[in-house]
Amino acid sequence: MGIIIKQGNVWYRNRWIQRDILIEGELIQEIKEEIIPKMEDQIVYASGKIVVPGFIDVHVHLREPGYEEKETIKTGAKAAVKGGFTTIASMPNTKPVIDQAELITYVLTKSEQAGFAKVLAIGAITKEQEGQKLADLFGMKEKGAVGFSDDGRGVKSSGLMKQAMEIAKTLGVPILAHCEDIDLTNGGVIHDGRMAKELGVPGIPAEAEYIQLARDLILAEITGVHYHVCHVSSKRSVELIREAKARGVNVTAEVTPHHLVLTEDDLKEPYAQFKMNPPLRTEEDRQALIKGLKDGTIDMIATDHAPHTEQEKGKGLLEAPFGIVGLEIAFPLLFTNLVKHHLISLEQLIDSLTIKPASLFGLNLGKIEKGSIADITIIDLEKIQSVDPTQFASKGKNTPFVGWKLQGWPIMTIVNGKIVWEEKEE
């Protein structure tokens, strides 16, 4: 039995065309003006909808193993497909930390059993993410790790980071860096700006990000590694990445939906729902991020989906953990607040969620082509609804966007040729 998507507006070879798509097995078999269905084919009517490659998120936190009360691989992968994401890459800050080969196998096996989004495993750079000794990079790569990161912590030692880059270069995988000089962060909870002073809480200065970034860009230039910057948040960081690209450094970068949409001025009670690392910064920083995304300095959008329990986030600004969830609302949030305001084009948004993140890990995904894997998302650009965390598939309900009215929601997600989520089932 095949699946035929009928008369959708398909994003195909950098243009919009109205086409039928035939899926058989895991692959797209035909893309034609009209495909005559066989008796046994399932027909999906997509007239008036857009049909795009399945989204790819290179930066999510699935919490398993060790923090299953926050999220599991299964609930996170289901949240992903509900948001139109067909492939996600999980960060290693679990318990135990994913710093050895068997834990890579654990993540990949669990994701296959879940049957929702495909999950890629990222291994830790250092053992237990303690920044003292390199993790088993060779063993993790052999079991399928697609890259290495100590996300949640910056690697303090320049020597250790250089060694990690040299090994990653040899293995042909990227280093994904959380840039944070902990000595400069100094216990801060939000951006070191107007709101920190007003609330009387310690702040995280922008230089905590870009000073370590500047060091890493020099090391990346020396080693030739593919160096990827996680969740860029400051204007100076964008400038440093732009300068590095201009001189030929093999660097890519991501930005989160929340850093593109919010600033420190948006903070309000409950403040802990606005607490993430790096923090929301100034309007000048936000505008620099949008410009960087538009001109290609920033390559892709990643959610940094970071679920926590209601109890944890209820501890208040000083004690609550950093992070918000993002998988299920990323596209409508960005379509409503960027595309509808003509800050970026719809096509740029789609590319930053598909073909560009695919390139980070060398994936033959992120496109709709005859013979390619059938990872497809169908979106109703006219659909408007409010953000309601009680309806999330994710265990995490921690978002500052509660009640926001958003437009442009995914209505069906296909992974490896199978319909894994559709709106009517919810």
Side-chain angles (χ1 to χ4, degrees):
M1 184 182 79
I3 298 170
I4 299 177
I5 302 171
K6 298 287 289 182
Q7 294 304 291
N9 199 17
V10 181
W11 183 236
Y12 176 70
R13 297 184 179 178
N14 295 317
R15 62 194 177 106
W16 295 106
I17 54 172
Q18 192 169 301
R19 289 291 187 272
D20 289 358
I21 299 174
L22 171 63
I23 299 166
E24 289 180 336
E26 294 189 350
L27 303 179
I28 296 171
Q29 298 293 348
E30 297 287 352
I31 303 171
K32 290 183 176 179
E33 285 191 27
E34 185 177 11
I35 296 172
I36 308 300
K38 299 190 286 288
M39 183 82 74
E40 65 272 18
D41 287 337
Q42 179 177 356
I43 299 175
V44 174
Y45 293 99
S47 179
K49 312 297 188 291
I50 63 168
V51 180
V52 301
F55 301 148
I56 298 166
D57 191 340
V58 302
H59 188 150
V60 303
H61 298 271
L62 298 182
R63 306 303 189 199
E64 186 180 3
Y67 301 107
E68 287 82 358
E69 71 280 4
K70 299 174 190 266
E71 191 80 286
T72 65
I73 290 169
K74 184 174 183 176
T75 59
K78 186 175 182 183
V81 296
K82 195 173 175 186
F85 289 90
T86 54
T87 301
I88 55 177
S90 64
M91 286 295 175
N93 55 338
T94 51
K95 189 177 181 182
V97 169
I98 297 168
D99 61 2
Q100 49 192 300
E102 56 264 34
L103 289 170
I104 297 292
T105 301
Y106 175 88
V107 171
L108 299 180
T109 302
K110 279 278 190 175
S111 79
E112 201 170 321
Q113 289 169 351
F116 292 110
K118 290 182 275 226
V119 178
L120 309 174
I122 296 170
I125 294 173
T126 66
K127 285 186 71 66
E128 297 183 17
Q129 291 188 303
E130 290 180 345
Q132 300 299 314
K133 184 179 178 184
L134 288 182
D136 180 14
L137 307 186
F138 289 97
M140 289 190 288
K141 170 62 168 66
E142 189 177 342
K143 292 299 183 181
V146 296
F148 304 114
S149 180
D150 267 8
D151 187 61
R153 300 180 183 181
V155 176
K156 191 171 183 178
S157 165
S158 299
L160 211 55
M161 183 56 117
K162 186 182 179 188
Q163 286 178 47
M165 288 182 175
E166 289 168 341
I167 294 170
K169 167 71 173 171
T170 300
L171 294 173
V173 297
I175 291 286
L176 295 86
H178 173 110
C179 295
E180 180 182 7
D181 185 325
I182 199 72
D183 292 334
L184 292 171
T185 300
N186 200 27
V189 293
I190 59 174
H191 175 63
D192 188 19
R194 183 185 67 81
M195 284 302 296
K197 292 180 179 65
E198 192 174 300
L199 296 173
V201 296
I204 301 172
E207 57 264 29
E209 175 178 277
Y210 64 71
I211 284 177
Q212 193 166 92
L213 170 62
R215 177 206 71 176
D216 282 0
L217 288 169
I218 293 168
L219 293 175
E221 190 168 14
I222 292 166
T223 61
V225 73
H226 180 173
Y227 175 73
H228 179 77
V229 191
C230 294
H231 42 52
V232 179
S233 73
S234 76
K235 179 182 178 181
R236 185 66 184 124
S237 294
V238 176
E239 292 168 349
L240 287 166
I241 294 163
R242 187 178 288 120
E243 291 162 7
K245 284 190 170 190
R247 65 176 190 268
V249 179
N250 185 10
V251 55
T252 52
E254 73 190 37
V255 63
T256 72
H258 45 276
H259 286 109
L260 290 169
V261 172
L262 298 171
T263 71
E264 64 168 347
D265 294 329
D266 293 299
L267 267 69
K268 61 182 181 181
E269 289 281 13
Y271 292 114
Q273 297 293 14
F274 292 81
K275 183 182 179 182
M276 69 281 295
N277 189 13
L280 301 171
R281 300 204 188 273
T282 68
E283 179 63 15
E284 185 181 17
D285 291 310
R286 187 180 82 90
Q287 290 297 332
L289 296 172
I290 294 170
K291 182 183 176 186
L293 183 65
K294 219 175 163 178
D295 69 18
T297 301
I298 296 174
D299 302 85
M300 62 200 74
I301 293 169
T303 67
D304 193 9
H305 175 82
H308 295 291
T309 65
E310 189 177 350
Q311 182 182 17
E312 286 173 310
K313 276 296 190 179
K315 291 179 179 178
L317 186 55
L318 288 174
E319 293 185 34
F322 291 104
I324 65 171
V325 293
L327 283 167
E328 291 169 71
I329 63 169
F331 184 86
L333 183 68
L334 294 166
F335 179 74
T336 304
N337 292 280
L338 297 187
V339 177
K340 295 281 287 181
H341 288 86
H342 308 291
L343 296 172
I344 64 170
S345 69
L346 173 61
E347 295 76 19
Q348 285 173 313
L349 175 56
I350 291 167
D351 282 355
S352 71
L353 290 167
T354 58
I355 193 70
K356 289 189 173 181
S359 70
L360 174 62
F361 299 124
L363 305 173
N364 190 25
L365 299 171
K367 58 192 175 184
I368 292 177
E369 291 276 358
K370 181 178 177 179
S372 67
I373 295 289
D375 286 357
I376 293 173
T377 296
I378 302 176
I379 298 168
D380 184 349
L381 288 181
E382 301 303 316
K383 180 178 172 61
I384 299 172
Q385 69 181 33
S386 296
V387 176
D388 179 2
T390 66
Q391 300 302 307
F392 286 175
S394 171
K395 284 189 174 186
K397 315 300 179 190
N398 48 304
T399 174
F401 299 108
V402 178
W404 281 41
K405 191 174 284 189
L406 304 178
Q407 181 175 337
W409 291 81
I411 58 170
M412 179 178 284
T413 307
I414 297 170
V415 178
N416 291 336
K418 294 179 181 176
I419 298 171
V420 293
W421 177 79
E422 54 184 315
E423 183 186 35
K424 66 184 181 184
E425 291 181 350
E426 295 300 307

